[in-house]
Amino acid sequence: MNFVVTTLRPSVKQALRLAALLAASGCVRAPAGSPAPGPLAAAPGPAQSPDGGAARREPSVPTLSAPAAADLEALRPLLARGPAFLARDPDAGPNARITLVARTAASPERLRGVIANPAEYPSFMPILNGVEMISTRGSRQAFRFHVAAPVFDVTALCNLHQVSERRVDVAITQSEAGPGVSRWDFNAEPDGGTLFSLATWGDPSQGHWILRQVARRSPTAVAGMNIAVGSVLALGAMRRAEILSGQSLPVRPSEGVADAGPLAPPPPGPWLWLSHEQAVVSMKLRADGAIEQVTVASYTQAAPDLVLRRLREVSNYPRIWGSFRSVDVQPPAAGEGEDNVRFQSHVQTALTRLDGEQRMRVEGNTVWHEGVSGDFAGSSHRWDIVADPAGGTVVLLTGGSDMNRAGTLTRVLIGMDPWLAVGFAGSWKIVWLRNFLRAV
């Protein structure tokens, strides 16, 4: 369940803002009493030098690695649906690391050629205004890209290094979105295709004021931003490589969102137990690349009955999710008991407001949230509670695009690049799930 992050980081910027919109317009606000993000994410702004100017902060850049072979095999069954993500330390603010894993029919050489040619990035990233090549020396290139977005413009200075035929590294050394690094790894498949991974790290808490505010709203917000970034980068690069391989495909889907259909997580398998060490995100895409469903799986030491009880306690939702400003439980209808509860809720964040009626319904170890009226009409989510044989619980959250939670700016960005809808759906759900598990 991993996305692959490209060497370019333009979409990172864009997706960071998208995630910012998503974070601000989705229910990203952490509940009162939640642990704060790390010191970098909590900082109100750049440090000041004695003369009043901004002092340069050297970030602690982690060493990125490719997924273990066993992890790739565990994720393989998910890749027929779409890309998958592994989010390590998802609640660690700027210390979170995201790895995308996906499969493409294009060869490793074709995909690597797309990623290692920054001058051609605008051909598959329509949000880019341009890429300026600065220098080339052997296997290394320096380049600058520019993105003009509704909220703020982004200019980033990047270094790309073709480490080998199977690996490309990219570093963002200067950008309004903060520092970042990424690593692409390519594995040849027997049929000539590629199983690849994109590991990324970025610290938007050192970037633009808007991104710093988003990073402060939830310990998981930065992980959500980088999932959004990885979605755009990986899907764009994959599609470009496939087109160059002779497939007749559009550069982007005509729309980013498809009908979710009946909600169902992927079948259980070894991938489920990867959630002990990291959150696992599985994307289900339509053939053209539009998002249908997203499932996020994460482990908690809490027992299954406790997790189920917390989900059934509708009146307690404002204490779990801070974006719930009020919940009004409705009197039960005839024949309905505590496993079928209707409630009016008011959800508000910096950029969005949602009002309407929902229903919490329990079927065994599955809890449904179904929209009945208002802003929630037509949307639904399911929570699956899986007992771990070794103790504790794996919790899965599955839902559709969540576009009803997208604010105006998020919709504008998705209009510019439909694949941002994929990142939006995944980002929102990982934040929603992790905020819940911190409150269990």
Side-chain angles (χ1 to χ4, degrees), residues 173-188:
T173 58
Q174 184 178 346
S175 167
E176 290 87 349
V181 292
S182 60
R183 167 177 170 162
W184 294 83
D185 287 273
F186 315 100
N187 300 284

Side-chain angles (χ1 to χ4, degrees), residues 235-314:
L235 292 173
M238 282 175 56
R239 178 61 59 86
R240 178 61 176 169
E242 290 165 355
I243 291 172
L244 293 176
S245 298
Q247 298 189 45
S248 179
L249 298 167
V251 174
R252 283 289 191 274
S254 59
E255 56 185 3
V257 176
D259 179 62
L263 296 182
W271 69 270
L272 205 57
W273 314 121
L274 296 179
S275 64
H276 274 257
E277 301 297 331
Q278 53 228 317
V280 182
V281 183
S282 174
M283 306 290 192
K284 182 181 180 183
L285 307 185
R286 196 169 63 185
D288 66 351
I291 184 67
E292 292 182 341
Q293 297 183 23
V294 177
T295 294
V296 181
S298 200
Y299 173 81
T300 175
Q301 294 181 349
D305 59 343
L306 175 58
V307 176
L308 181 60
R309 186 162 68 248
R310 289 288 182 264
L311 284 169
R312 291 169 59 174
E313 294 171 345
V314 175

Side-chain angles (χ1 to χ4, degrees), residues 111-131:
L111 181 60
R112 177 170 52 83
V114 169
I115 295 164
N117 188 4
E120 295 298 317
Y121 285 170
S123 67
F124 65 90
M125 301 189 101
I127 196 165
L128 289 182
N129 279 5
V131 173

Side-chain angles (χ1 to χ4, degrees), residues 132-219:
E132 175 192 357
M133 300 305 300
I134 299 173
S135 65
T136 298
R137 181 174 299 176
S139 61
R140 298 178 183 271
Q141 302 176 69
F143 63 97
R144 180 182 293 109
F145 69 80
H146 180 70
V147 176
V151 181
F152 59 91
D153 289 356
V154 173
T155 299
L157 184 63
C158 306
N159 292 322
L160 183 150
H161 179 203
Q162 295 191 60
V163 179
S164 69
E165 293 184 352
R166 296 183 56 185
R167 174 180 166 186
V168 174
D169 291 354
V170 177
I172 297 178
T173 58
Q174 184 178 346
S175 167
E176 290 87 349
V181 292
S182 60
R183 167 177 170 162
W184 294 83
D185 287 273
F186 315 100
N187 300 284
E189 295 278 81
D191 64 356
T194 307
L195 179 67
F196 69 100
S197 64
L198 173 58
T200 58
W201 169 86
D203 185 7
S205 69
Q206 296 191 48
H208 190 278
W209 179 87
I210 291 176
L211 299 179
R212 297 202 304 271
Q213 305 318 302
V214 174
R216 296 177 63 184
R217 294 184 67 81
S218 167

